[in-house]
Amino acid sequence: MLEHKQIGFIGGGAMAEALIKGMLKAGLVQPNQITVSDVVADRLSYLTNTYDISPCADAQQTAGKVDILFLTVKPQVINNVLDTIAPAVSKSTIVISIAAGVTIATLQNKLPAGIAIVRVMPNTPVAVGAGMSAISLGKYANPQTGELAAAIFASVGRVVTVEESVMDAVTGLSGSGPAYAFVLIDALTDAGVRVGFSRQNALLLAAQTLYGAAKMVLDTGEHPAKLRDMVTSPGGTAIAGVHMLEQKGVRAALIDAVVAATNRSREMGKRQHE
């Protein structure tokens, strides 16, 4: 699918590195197909030495010679980047943006008319190949473009295609979700210490338990409530713990957290376009 395609990254940060690593590991591309542009020379040297890819200090030059262009920069600088690269981007180039809060319309207004644009919201576990990415297609992106983008992000986790209108909700759930999970792991670790474990063992027990529970949901396809019922035997320990979670409002707190993060994402997006 990506054979003979030249791929460029504007921005060589952690997300770009995760995608480069994932694509290479999955055999989707070879190092000589990838060019990265970044303003930090040391970062370019690191990526070049680590992955044997091609560095390029000139973003416009990178944009002008690739078939697939990733915009892996912070949203605060995206407008300047678009102004810089727009004259060089070919109409046949596929542009994939992970800049949070930057709409497809914003990208289309800055880039050549008719260009295929894909907006993606990945989360930080892409760094360990276990990310969750949501993809939205611009009006000039065809189904084949979507399949190509999905294949790339599947190399670093799982992928779902959504309407752009729910991207703020994606940010609130999966984009911010790792933070909620880290809070839960940290709290369970403290609980483990409280009942007598060393912190090292408590952390391992907590993290592996959440990892295993998530894997059961994904691998079996069963509803979480059904899997919970398999653990909670009558009058047992698990149901006593679940009862306490419900009593303390943990479920409602998590729902409220996702709603709050979604609303915050909407607010930030509005400010960006003012």
Side-chain angles (χ1 to χ4, degrees):
M1 183 180 290
L2 296 175
E3 190 178 359
H4 307 308
K5 298 285 188 184
Q6 287 298 310
I7 298 169
F9 288 84
I10 307 297
M15 200 63 73
E17 182 179 1
L19 289 168
I20 292 167
K21 182 179 179 181
M23 286 191 290
L24 292 174
K25 186 177 180 181
L28 294 178
V29 295
Q30 298 302 314
N32 62 10
Q33 294 175 251
I34 300 174
T35 301
V36 181
S37 176
D38 195 277
V39 295
V40 181
D42 287 347
R43 184 62 181 172
L44 280 182
S45 296
Y46 163 78
L47 292 171
T48 301
N49 295 333
T50 305
Y51 301 103
D52 199 27
I53 52 88
S54 301
C56 183
D58 189 329
Q60 191 175 84
Q61 184 179 338
T62 298
K65 68 177 185 179
V66 298
D67 303 297
I68 302 169
L69 181 64
F70 283 89
L71 302 180
T72 45
V73 296
K74 299 293 185 184
Q76 301 93 301
V77 301
I78 191 71
N79 283 327
N80 288 337
V81 167
L82 291 171
D83 289 339
T84 298
I85 68 172
V89 178
S90 167
K91 284 186 67 172
S92 62
T93 302
I94 296 170
V95 174
I96 301 177
S97 171
I98 66 165
V102 179
T103 64
I104 292 172
T106 297
L107 298 168
Q108 286 176 334
N109 288 338
K110 291 275 190 177
L111 294 171
I115 201 166
I117 295 172
V118 182
R119 180 182 172 188
V120 186
M121 180 66 211
N123 63 11
T124 54
V126 298
V128 292
M132 183 66 236
S133 301
I135 291 175
S136 290
L137 303 180
K139 62 181 178 180
Y140 301 112
N142 59 36
Q144 289 72 31
T145 303
E147 290 171 9
L148 183 148
I152 292 171
F153 283 88
S155 72
V156 290
R158 300 206 179 204
V159 181
V160 63
T161 300
V162 301
E163 295 295 325
E164 189 182 19
S165 60
V166 300
M167 270 297 187
D168 289 314
V170 169
T171 302
L173 180 54
S174 63
S176 304
Y180 317 147
F182 296 143
V183 169
L184 290 174
I185 291 170
D186 192 34
L188 288 171
T189 299
D190 282 347
V193 173
R194 175 67 179 82
V195 295
F197 291 109
S198 69
R199 183 158 294 275
Q200 181 180 10
N201 282 342
L203 178 58
L204 176 61
L205 286 161
Q208 180 63 28
T209 297
L210 285 189
Y211 171 76
K215 195 170 190 307
M216 281 188 73
V217 172
L218 293 172
D219 288 359
T220 66
E222 295 286 0
H223 193 284
K226 182 176 181 179
L227 295 173
R228 179 203 60 207
D229 289 346
M230 291 168 58
V231 183
T232 51
S233 55
T237 58
I239 193 62
V242 169
H243 176 236
M244 186 58 68
L245 291 175
E246 296 289 4
Q247 194 174 66
K248 297 295 184 180
V250 172
R251 181 191 297 267
L254 289 171
I255 294 171
D256 288 345
V258 173
V259 172
T262 299
N263 290 337
R264 178 61 175 160
S265 179
R266 290 190 182 119
E267 291 169 8
M268 293 172 67
K270 286 178 183 176
R271 278 209 304 273
Q272 188 146 13
H273 302 300
E274 289 176 352

